[in-house]
Every structure is written in structure tokens, then in C-alpha cells.
Amino acid sequence: MCAWISRAEALRHFATCDGPTRSQQHIKPLHWYVASRLVLEGGFLPDDIAPRPPFRVERGRRELLLHYDETQATGEERTVLGGLKTKNVDVVIARPTIGPALAVSCKGMTGALRNLTNRMEELIGECTNLHITYPALVFGFLFVVRANRRDESAAAEVASGARRMAANDVAFQADGGPVASLVRFHNALCEITGRRGIRDDVSRYEAVSLLAVEAGARAGAISPEFPTPDSPLRIERFFETLYRRYDERFVFGAPDLKARTARPGWSPDSPCLRDPRLSAWIAERPGIEIRLSSDLG
């Protein structure tokens, strides 16, 4: 079931998981983090999100109270109609009578960087497929790679210690620089992000982020040097861009639908906002803001 976990917990699980990647168990917690963040920071209703995060909304006289309620959580993905085929998408917000409005695809690679080229083909195809049917869909792609390093702590084994690290599993050289295949992948991702309008190229995502996640002693920490601070793939810009594109298309661009599409935000009196989990969740990213609204009108 979708759980309320922090980004650090989700990435630590990814960095240390030694199960088969085909099962998606290494990346599932990241889906849960994204879904929860879309509620707490994004102000989206949990009922509209799949997998459904563990929150419940109580409507007051003029505001919405957000409660933590793990009994409401589910674990299923939503199947979306594509122009070429149906697709199970990791995190989807579907608005009643409107359809899929925002989605995030989460992918991860723990090694075998030779497969990065194949991943490019897959992610371009996924984006094109869904934008053909839903050109207004705000689609984000979040990719995490295990930052296996060729140094004293990681030269002999991956984070789990279960097997020897192959040369192709190395993401960063001993001098700290990324390997050539990772740089090429970063540059290719830069070419398919930044879709702004519904008439723009359907093979572009509205937002793309690339995270290099440390293994070993610092398991789960985000590598600070890659991508570089000026990269369009920095995680700091990812969610902000998704919210902006959503508001432009579904709120400001369609004022007659605003009552149904606006992100309402939560009453400052919400029990969820007094939950101790929230303090830890916010502390990992200074500057994150819970979407509040004291008067829905």
C-alpha cells in the first residue's frame, strides 16, 4: 500500500535494495513519496491520485481538513489510454469528467549503464504514446541512478555487498566525475524536457529530473555535483514545473472549470499538519511549503 514516507527513505531503499529490478520493489517507495507530495505540497485531492496516498479529506464549512488515514491507501497503478496502447503509469492524477491531468513516471537503474540507450527509447515512446491521446496531460519523468563509485568504498561491491561490481555498473570515476554514458544520458534527457503548450512536441515531457543516489555508507543521499546546479534536470525544479504547467492548462487556461480543477490546499487546522511525520518530511528539503488555504470561498 502507498505509504507516507520521506524522500530520504525512498531513496535509501532504492540504494540498498538487492532484489530483482523487474519486480519494481526498488522503486515503489519513490512512487509513494511522489503521490504523498502531490497531496501535501501540490494540494491535489488524494481520491484523484493513483496509487492513492494515505490521507483523507474532511470538508468543513469553508475549508478542507486533511487527515492522515492509512486505511485509505491503495497500491494500484492507473491504466491510461495511449495513442498506441494502454499504459500502466506509476503515479497519475485523474480529475472527474476531465481524465488524466498530471502523471509522473519513475524509473531507476542500479547498474548496467550500457542499457541507458534502451531506456531513452522506452521513455520517449511512453511520453509520445500518452500525449497523443491526452495532449494536455502534464507528464513528468523522474529517473534515479545508483551512484556506484570507483573508489575505496565501492570498487569491490555494490551497496548490498551481494556481488562484485562490474565495470559497466560504475557511474562515477575515482576523480568524482560521471562516466561518459551517464553524461550522454543526461544530455539526451535535456533534449526531451520543457514542453510548455499542448501544441508542442508530444515526445517531450513537461519536466524531467535525474538523480544520482549514493550507495554504501551514504546510502540514499543525493549526489550534489551531478547534475550540475545549472542543469534543467535538477530535482529542485521538478515539482514546481509540474504545478505551474498544470495551473496554466487546467486552471488559468480554463476558468470555467476552475471550481473542479483548482488545487484547493488544506486548512491550517488540519490534523495531518500536526503529525510528527510532517516535520521530518519537511526538514529534508528546506523551503518546501505545504499548500494551505484558510478560505476556499
Side-chain angles (χ1 to χ4, degrees):
M1 299 296 103
C2 183
W4 181 10
I5 63 174
S6 68
R7 186 177 70 187
E9 291 175 292
L11 296 182
R12 189 180 306 113
H13 177 87
F14 169 79
T16 58
C17 183
D18 60 357
T21 57
R22 283 189 299 252
S23 68
Q24 287 202 317
Q25 293 309 307
H26 66 307
I27 202 73
K28 282 287 188 182
L30 190 60
H31 302 175
W32 305 340
Y33 167 74
V34 170
S36 296
R37 182 162 176 170
L38 292 175
V39 174
L40 292 164
E41 181 192 48
F44 291 99
L45 298 174
D47 282 339
D48 293 343
I49 303 175
R52 194 195 186 287
F55 302 104
R56 172 173 51 85
V57 176
E58 176 188 353
R59 181 172 289 275
R61 292 182 59 187
R62 299 180 63 83
E63 57 190 5
L64 299 180
L65 297 167
L66 186 65
H67 298 258
Y68 171 71
D69 187 350
E70 60 184 13
T71 67
Q72 299 294 309
T74 66
E76 83 282 354
E77 296 177 345
R78 181 165 280 138
T79 302
V80 180
L81 175 65
L84 305 175
K85 63 177 183 178
T86 58
K87 176 67 177 177
N88 289 337
V89 184
D90 298 324
V91 183
V92 179
I93 297 176
R95 308 308 302 263
T97 74
I98 294 174
L102 189 151
V104 178
S105 179
C106 303
K107 298 293 186 290
M109 183 168 287
T110 60
L113 269 67
R114 64 180 178 275
N115 294 327
L116 284 174
T117 300
N118 295 336
R119 285 298 179 94
M120 279 299 302
E121 296 174 354
E122 295 170 3
L123 67 95
I124 291 174
E126 180 180 30
C127 182
T128 304
N129 178 42
L130 297 187
H131 274 151
I132 287 174
T133 302
Y134 300 103
L137 174 69
V138 178
F139 201 7
F141 179 71
L142 182 57
F143 191 88
V144 291
V145 60
R146 189 178 287 174
N148 300 322
R149 295 179 179 273
R150 193 188 300 278
D151 60 19
E152 68 277 7
S153 64
E157 58 189 14
V158 292
S160 65
R163 62 179 175 86
R164 298 283 296 182
M165 181 185 293
N168 192 55
D169 292 334
V170 174
F172 289 87
Q173 301 289 2
D175 62 2
V179 298
S181 58
L182 186 56
V183 173
R184 289 194 298 269
F185 186 63
H186 169 276
N187 294 342
L189 289 178
C190 289
E191 296 298 320
I192 61 168
T193 189
R195 183 174 184 261
R196 296 183 61 90
I198 62 175
R199 296 177 182 84
D200 289 350
D201 188 352
V202 294
S203 65
R204 282 180 175 267
Y205 289 85
E206 277 64 22
V208 175
S209 184
L210 173 62
L211 291 177
V213 180
E214 299 288 351
R218 299 181 60 237
I222 298 174
S223 173
E225 66 267 19
F226 183 84
T228 57
D230 60 344
S231 169
L233 307 185
R234 297 284 297 188
I235 187 63
E236 293 86 354
R237 305 182 180 100
F238 182 73
F239 288 94
E240 176 185 347
T241 301
L242 293 179
Y243 302 147
R244 185 182 302 117
R245 296 289 92 82
Y246 174 86
D247 288 343
E248 288 171 353
R249 295 178 195 176
F250 293 94
V251 183
F252 306 131
D256 291 345
L257 296 175
K258 184 176 181 179
R260 279 184 285 162
T261 59
R263 301 182 287 130
W266 315 115
S267 167
D269 297 325
S270 295
C272 184
L273 304 188
R274 298 190 294 272
D275 192 295
R277 276 174 289 246
L278 186 64
S279 298
W281 194 79
I282 293 176
E284 70 178 15
R285 179 181 175 260
I288 194 170
E289 295 182 0
I290 305 302
R291 189 169 179 84
L292 300 178
S293 177
S294 58
D295 187 353
L296 296 183

